[in-house]
Amino acid sequence: MTVLVLCVNGERRETAVDPSTPLIFVLRNEFGLTGAKLGCSLEQCGACAVLADGERVLSCNRPAAEFAESEIITAEALERDRIGERVQSAFVAETAAQCGYCTPGLVVAATALLKANPSPEEDEIRSALNDHLCRCGSHASVLAAVRHAAAGTADG
Amino acid sequence: MASVSLERHPRLDSWIEIATDGRILLRTGKVDIGQRISTALAMIAAEELDVDPSMIDVVRTETGRDPDEGITSGSYSMEQSGNALRHAAATARRHMVARAAEALGVDRADLEIDDGVIRARDTNRSVSYAELQGGQPFGIAVDPDAAVKAPSSHRFIGTAATPRGMADIVSGRYEFLHDLKLPDMLHARVVRPPHYHARLKALDDGVAERLAGRDISLVRDGSFLAVAGRDEYAVIRAVDTVAAAAEWNLGEGLEPQDVYERLWTNPRVSLPVVDGGPVEEPVPAPTPPPEGAMVTLSARYEKPYHMHGSIGPSAAMAWWRDNRLEIRSHSQGVYILRDAISEALGIAAENIRIRHAPGAGCYGHNGADDAALDAALVARALPGSPVLLKWTREEEHGWEPYGTCTSMDLRASLDAGGRVVQWSHESCGDSYALRPRSGPGRAGAARLLSSRYLPDPPPAFLPGPAMGKHLGIHRNLDPLYDFAGRRLVKHLVRGLPLRTSALRSLGGYANVFAIECFIDELAAMAGIDPVAFRLSHLRDERARRTISEAAELMAGWPAAEGRGRGLGFARYKNVQAYAAVAVELEVTDAAEVKLHRMALAADAGEVVDRAGLAAQIEGGALQAASWTLYEEVTFDGGGITSRDWETYPILRFDNVPAITTVLVDRPGDPFLGAGETVCGPTAAAIGNAVFDATGLRLRRIPFVPDAIRTAAMAG
């Protein structure tokens, strides 16, 4: 066990864990942030995505210790982010979820995209979401939500 | 209107409660699995009760407390729970209006209702639902003939609602079963054998002690192995430790075989299908084409095993205390699961309580029920602590019950006018009926995965042929079209290699794929436009309208070189929702199918939640497109080889077409189940569009580049 210090959702948080523990288990079980979902533990589905220094990262496999220097934002804190809030509102407006298991990861990916590129082209949106799997088939409404959020971001 | 659910639960108090604070609680036996049934049910009740849907809470079904409405399956939830709650709410309203009239001393006709407050017109006097009824039972039966609102007065029904829980879903706060945290909770994982037929030969004696030093408990019950502990990641690592210490009798493994050949050569139960249902009669031999037949065509269509492929692996919480078992599960049928676990563990059903909790979308009978038994086995071994057990990705891919592989032979003859004068369709597959329903020989337990690995396993369950109309293999086998000389046969094939059960639309996907592609083949042979060919064989006006809606949208697409278009149609089980799908696609130089456009038309009777219905139709179409283009469960002697998303790829955002959806609303008409109707038509539309684009008729799913190249070389 080692003491790990992480900056999560704007707070400095400490926890004693095995240093090889993937970030997702620290977020979910130590900090109670369950927005990052366990989907594959293979970095194949995107359900576990969080932001690290504004970029989308997958939390299911990489040790939490690798993120000691990063500012981590999870889906739970996106409402305090101007772009994150727009993305969440657009997902609600477009009812862009069915079961909702993949949704926090998609919201994170869309936020990371719009932070880097406020006016993405259609193929850039699809490419940003392409490593995220959705089994319910809510893809079309998710794409609509990201376009909707992008329109808002570009305007303001 | 008669309802199976009301026959079983006739009392109003089984369905609706008014709390002292005025909130209204709906009880339902149908569970929300992302199909937004709770959103639609709340709209239906809100309409009849004259309250805003936000005043309504919908329970998560719990055994012993909420109505037993069987399984949330077969696209029945709106027809069963929707109608039951509509009449329950209408009965409750009428009852409260009568009580209000008495309390206020006025005639019922002089009362009006606004947001749960009943007011005497032209006076200030009023009484609320909460004041009349808060916390008190109604003590009356639901009147199935209670007058319901006229569609013209609907305020909520037919609108697009924001799904319940949506704000929490986007903020990551929606609590899935996987996110549950209880005091002193243990995390658990199963250590699976290498394949179905392996049994534990030996386990290194020291492993339990080594794990104990890491604060991990080993559970061993026959060949069932699991680990549990407080630290989830330590538990995950312990799986590897146990796997390395376990020696398995592998037996003969899974027999590598060509299932498409076995579907025709293995032992089977064969039955003719008449009017949508099998009959206990000999299968009629094929007859020669009738007089007047100008042309006869035959073709074989095939689909592989498909998986449900939930994004969240199955999970369950179980807690064994004082000889009672509490379970939370994302099962679609908590009552049948309770009885099956009762059989599996040999404890009385009344000592088991199962509450539904949200899981990832399941689309049929996936690993949810199995995970509940797994958690119960661990909880029984470690009494006193709640146990949250999760499957891994590899387990979900490798151990869930799949939708069966299927092979179908079709043959039809046309007369000189292009009419079908003889039609034969035989459909071969494994069972879809392997949900854990209890019965003689511990039939429920036998269908829960880990039962097989316990020291005293129940006898293997051998399903008989499903005999009702449009079940399993013969779902949508009987075409809706006016085809003369029908010969329909279902073959329940024995001895196939993989575990199967219910996957969204059951045999409807395979049968409609075959029928609707074969119709295009026939139309081409007759030189008739495929839409016109369909319409000329259909008298049902709603079917014709649905096809025409999709066809019109397709006709409006701008011409694009190199692309092909196709259409498919079905009415689910010939009695539920109608759906027509039109697709535009191209086949790229890399032999990949690129989807460009989809037009979806559906008639599901009265539309309740427009957004929810559209999501079911669009989601069903994209899931079926994924099955059709990409998916096939593979295996070899060592077990299932589709073990993750790379070895079992599914549709991604880069191949999502532009979708236009038309919902034909029929206010006042019965709800028609809609969650599965679009799957078969989508497969056929894609097959027909590939043919239109390339001249290649693909008859075996999935349409992967290898299949397209092979077809191109053969053609």
Side-chain angles (χ1 to χ4, degrees):
Chain A
M1 293 284 177
T2 53
V3 173
L4 189 64
V5 181
L6 292 172
C7 178
V8 180
N9 297 341
E11 283 179 50
R12 186 179 174 278
R13 306 193 65 160
E14 258 184 44
T15 185
V17 292
D18 181 308
S20 66
T21 307
L23 178 62
I24 191 167
F25 296 107
V26 175
L27 295 174
R28 292 174 55 86
N29 297 337
E30 308 303 320
F31 302 157
L33 297 166
T34 53
K37 300 297 174 197
L38 283 169
C40 65
S41 295
L42 299 164
E43 300 188 343
Q44 290 179 357
C45 77
C48 66
V50 298
L51 295 178
D53 299 322
E55 289 188 12
R56 167 192 171 279
V57 294
L58 299 178
S59 65
C60 67
N61 223 354
R62 288 171 58 188
E66 283 187 23
F67 295 91
E69 306 292 317
S70 308
E71 196 157 326
I72 295 157
I73 303 285
T74 69
E76 287 93 337
L78 287 179
E79 64 205 18
R80 303 201 297 266
D81 178 279
R82 188 177 61 89
I83 294 173
E85 193 276 328
R86 269 203 187 131
V87 171
Q88 288 180 331
S89 301
F91 269 66
V92 173
E94 300 289 344
T95 63
Q98 289 189 37
C99 80
Y101 201 87
C102 68
T103 313
L106 284 164
V107 168
V108 164
T111 302
L113 167 70
L114 297 186
K115 279 177 179 295
N117 178 1
S119 305
E121 300 291 333
E122 178 69 17
D123 59 344
E124 292 173 319
I125 295 176
R126 288 171 184 254
S127 157
L129 304 182
N130 214 39
D131 290 339
H132 288 252
L133 300 179
C134 165
R135 189 56 162 167
C136 295
S138 63
H139 304 74
S141 57
V142 168
L143 289 168
V146 180
R147 284 179 215 124
H148 179 146
T153 316
D155 294 346
Chain B
M1 184 187 295
S3 150
V4 180
S5 297
L6 285 181
E7 279 167 22
R8 224 192 264 186
H9 299 280
R11 307 297 297 172
L12 178 53
D13 294 307
S14 300
W15 299 97
I16 295 179
E17 271 175 45
I18 313 265
T20 50
D21 62 0
R23 290 200 68 77
I24 296 166
L25 184 70
L26 300 188
R27 298 194 178 283
T28 168
K30 299 296 185 183
V31 297
D32 203 316
I33 48 180
Q35 86 286 40
R36 305 187 193 166
I37 188 66
S38 58
T39 304
L41 295 178
M43 291 169 85
I44 289 169
E47 199 71 81
E48 295 302 328
L49 287 165
D50 275 314
V51 297
D52 191 85
S54 64
M55 284 301 292
I56 293 182
D57 299 309
V58 183
V59 294
R60 286 275 167 196
T61 310
E62 181 174 314
T63 58
R65 188 191 70 182
D66 301 316
D68 177 1
E69 295 192 87
I71 305 166
T72 304
S73 67
S75 299
Y76 280 126
S77 294
M78 290 296 285
E79 295 173 33
Q80 293 176 0
S81 215
N83 278 316
L85 278 163
R86 178 174 259 182
H87 290 97
T91 304
R93 178 181 198 268
R94 190 177 68 187
H95 179 76
M96 290 191 289
V97 166
R99 290 194 57 197
E102 216 170 278
L104 300 175
V106 297
D107 198 77
R108 285 182 209 192
D110 294 327
L111 294 173
E112 58 190 16
I113 307 181
D114 181 26
D115 231 3
V117 177
I118 306 175
R119 186 171 283 112
R121 257 186 224 106
D122 309 324
T123 74
N124 288 327
R125 290 182 308 142
S126 66
V127 60
S128 70
Y129 288 172
E131 288 163 335
L132 282 170
Q133 202 66 48
Q136 301 297 313
F138 288 97
I140 59 172
V142 175
D143 178 0
D145 298 316
V148 299
K149 290 277 178 71
S152 58
S153 68
H154 283 168
R155 287 191 296 156
F156 309 117
I157 287 179
T159 63
T162 298
R164 301 199 144 225
M166 191 68 200
D168 287 335
I169 285 174
V170 300
S171 71
R173 292 190 183 89
Y174 188 78
E175 191 184 82
F176 289 90
L177 178 51
H178 309 66
D179 305 328
L180 190 65
K181 196 166 192 179
L182 295 169
D184 300 320
M185 189 175 81
L186 302 176
H187 291 275
R189 296 288 189 279
V190 179
V191 184
R192 293 279 172 211
H195 58 66
Y196 296 157
H197 310 304
R199 292 296 180 275
L200 190 63
K201 186 153 113 192
L203 186 67
D204 173 357
D205 285 341
V207 71
E209 208 172 305
R210 292 205 300 281
L211 291 175
R214 284 153 55 181
D215 216 10
I216 301 285
S217 303
L218 173 70
V219 175
R220 178 180 176 177
D221 202 344
S223 289
F224 176 80
L225 293 176
V227 286
R230 287 187 202 290
D231 184 304
E232 188 172 16
Y233 187 57
V235 169
I236 289 168
R237 286 189 308 168
V239 171
D240 295 335
T241 308
V242 176
E247 202 182 328
W248 301 91
N249 273 321
L250 294 175
E252 300 197 342
L254 270 64
E255 186 194 350
Q257 55 187 274
D258 178 354
V259 292
Y260 294 117
E261 189 193 318
R262 297 299 176 92
L263 281 163
W264 291 102
T265 57
N266 276 13
R268 69 210 35 242
V269 180
S270 301
L271 294 168
V273 171
V274 177
D275 288 335
V279 289
E280 299 268 15
E281 284 172 19
V283 172
T287 48
E291 210 173 310
M294 296 300 289
V295 57
T296 296
L297 199 63
S298 55
R300 175 169 292 180
Y301 286 86
E302 297 161 321
K303 73 161 278 272
Y305 290 103
H306 282 150
M307 65 174 68
H308 302 77
S310 283
I311 297 297
S314 295
M317 191 284 292
W319 196 346
W320 185 282
R321 288 182 281 186
D322 308 324
N323 291 316
R324 294 177 64 85
L325 184 59
E326 180 189 335
I327 293 175
R328 292 194 209 171
S329 168
H330 52 102
S331 167
Q332 291 178 299
V334 288
Y335 278 96
I336 69 157
L337 176 60
R338 178 193 63 182
D339 296 348
I341 286 184
S342 159
E343 284 179 358
L345 300 184
I347 57 173
E350 53 266 30
N351 289 333
I352 303 173
R353 191 161 53 110
I354 306 186
R355 191 198 304 174
H356 185 263
C362 58
Y363 330 105
H365 176 207
N366 73 344
D369 300 87
D370 299 320
L373 175 61
D374 295 339
L377 288 168
V378 176
R380 181 171 69 172
L382 303 170
S385 298
V387 173
L388 179 60
L389 181 141
K390 294 173 193 159
W391 281 19
T392 62
R393 172 50 47 206
E394 184 175 344
E395 238 175 319
E396 189 77 18
H397 266 62
W399 293 87
E400 66 145 278
Y402 307 118
T404 180
C405 55
T406 308
S407 184
M408 295 158 285
D409 272 358
L410 284 84
R411 197 185 78 164
S413 300
L414 301 179
D415 68 10
R419 291 200 64 80
V420 173
V421 290
Q422 191 179 68
W423 177 269
S424 170
H425 182 164
E426 300 188 35
S427 197
C428 308
D430 206 337
S431 178
Y432 290 93
L434 287 154
R435 291 188 190 265
R437 291 177 192 278
S438 58
R442 295 198 284 153
R447 283 175 278 183
L448 289 172
L449 175 63
S450 291
S451 290
R452 309 176 185 184
Y453 302 91
L454 296 177
D456 176 25
F461 180 82
L462 187 67
M467 294 301 289
K469 285 181 190 282
H470 290 279
L471 298 174
I473 296 165
H474 62 280
R475 180 159 293 173
N476 281 98
L477 177 62
D478 199 350
L480 197 65
Y481 299 96
D482 298 328
F483 291 162
R486 290 169 194 230
R487 175 181 173 273
L488 308 171
V489 185
K490 77 175 280 185
H491 300 277
L492 171 59
V493 180
R494 303 300 192 191
L496 291 168
L498 304 189
R499 182 180 187 224
T500 63
S501 193
L503 172 62
R504 193 177 196 170
S505 79
L506 312 189
Y509 170 75
N511 289 324
V512 171
F513 160 62
I515 293 167
E516 291 288 307
C517 285
F518 195 54
I519 282 177
D520 267 40
E521 295 199 58
L522 293 169
M525 182 71 83
I528 300 172
D529 169 73
V531 171
F533 186 91
R534 284 174 174 80
L535 295 177
S536 73
H537 286 88
L538 273 175
R539 277 170 297 185
D540 182 327
E541 280 307 321
R542 292 172 74 170
R544 297 171 61 88
R545 163 89 186 269
T546 308
I547 290 174
S548 300
E549 292 280 355
E552 267 174 43
L553 287 167
M554 179 166 71
W557 291 336
E561 205 178 327
R563 296 187 186 177
R565 295 172 180 182
L567 182 138
F569 163 79
R571 182 180 191 190
Y572 196 48
K573 306 178 201 171
N574 290 5
V575 293
Q576 293 186 310
Y578 301 80
V581 177
V583 167
E584 182 180 80
L585 55 75
E586 71 178 300
V587 177
T588 68
D589 293 342
E592 291 170 343
V593 174
K594 170 81 184 151
L595 301 174
H596 287 285
R597 299 173 191 275
M598 254 188 201
L600 310 174
D603 173 353
E606 177 162 54
V607 177
V608 175
D609 173 13
R610 183 165 284 279
L613 178 58
Q616 280 297 291
I617 298 294
E618 293 177 17
L622 289 182
Q623 187 170 82
S626 181
W627 295 342
T628 307
L629 294 181
Y630 302 108
E631 300 184 31
E632 174 173 17
V633 177
T634 54
F635 63 96
D636 62 19
I640 304 296
T641 49
S642 300
R643 301 172 93 92
D644 58 25
W645 295 120
E646 282 176 5
T647 47
Y648 190 86
I650 63 172
L651 179 80
R652 290 174 183 270
F653 278 91
D654 60 5
N655 203 12
V656 172
I659 302 178
T660 308
T661 303
V662 177
L663 303 176
V664 179
D665 193 1
R666 299 194 180 270
D669 275 9
F671 312 131
L672 300 178
E676 301 164 283
T677 183
V678 80
C679 297
T682 301
I686 292 173
N688 291 334
V690 168
F691 178 78
D692 187 46
T694 63
L696 302 173
R697 176 54 67 181
L698 302 182
R699 299 190 186 89
R700 178 184 287 180
I701 288 167
F703 303 160
V704 292
D706 272 353
I708 292 170
R709 285 193 204 101
T710 304
M713 286 197 285

